[in-house]
Amino acid sequence: MNINDKVLLQQEFKGILLFKEGMFFRTYNQGVYILTEHLGHNLQTHIKQIKKYHNKQVIICGFPVNTINERLPNAKLFDFGVKLAFNYSIDEYSHWYERRCPEKSEAR
């Protein structure tokens, strides 16, 4: 599964999807928003411009797999990683995303 697939799945899911990547769980955009803004996790985030995602910027964060039970004890484990349903406001997320990812010119 590539990053574009992960971002699209996260966009469709009402909550957090954490994808197992080696020894870490990583999440994208809405998942980062929920973890940092609603659940109060102090995680380092990165912003990447993804060519396969129409040159849009993607916000990424993660944490070690072995800390999942203390960070998200109610999360459900799946083959790809973890799911945790969470209701959040799309409008608030959109404003947060716009503040975090100001428009940049597209890469050529």
Side-chain angles (χ1 to χ4, degrees), residues 45-100:
T45 62
H46 303 292
I47 299 172
K48 286 180 130 180
Q49 189 163 340
I50 307 297
K51 196 177 219 179
K52 288 185 177 183
Y53 190 53
H54 311 290
N55 284 319
K56 290 184 181 176
Q57 293 177 330
V58 176
I59 305 171
I60 304 166
C61 77
F63 53 83
V65 168
N66 63 358
T67 65
I68 189 67
N69 289 332
E70 65 190 57
R71 289 184 187 271
L72 300 171
N74 297 327
K76 306 266 191 258
L77 291 172
F78 291 87
D79 290 341
F80 70 87
V82 175
K83 280 186 182 181
L84 179 65
F86 192 93
N87 193 17
Y88 65 95
S89 165
I90 295 295
D91 290 337
E92 288 177 16
Y93 163 73
S94 296
H95 294 306
W96 174 84
Y97 180 87
E98 288 171 10
R99 284 191 315 271
R100 298 294 306 265

Side-chain angles (χ1 to χ4, degrees), residues 34-50:
I34 295 167
L35 279 174
T36 60
E37 298 298 310
H38 287 282
L39 299 179
H41 290 281
N42 185 17
L43 298 169
Q44 185 176 13
T45 62
H46 303 292
I47 299 172
K48 286 180 130 180
Q49 189 163 340
I50 307 297

Side-chain angles (χ1 to χ4, degrees), residues 11-53:
Q11 186 176 334
E12 294 171 3
F13 182 68
K14 191 71 169 177
I16 304 169
L17 294 177
L18 292 157
F19 299 92
K20 189 167 190 262
E21 298 176 9
M23 296 184 66
F24 289 89
F25 282 124
R26 299 214 193 287
T27 191
Y28 304 90
N29 292 346
Q30 293 90 339
V32 176
Y33 170 71
I34 295 167
L35 279 174
T36 60
E37 298 298 310
H38 287 282
L39 299 179
H41 290 281
N42 185 17
L43 298 169
Q44 185 176 13
T45 62
H46 303 292
I47 299 172
K48 286 180 130 180
Q49 189 163 340
I50 307 297
K51 196 177 219 179
K52 288 185 177 183
Y53 190 53

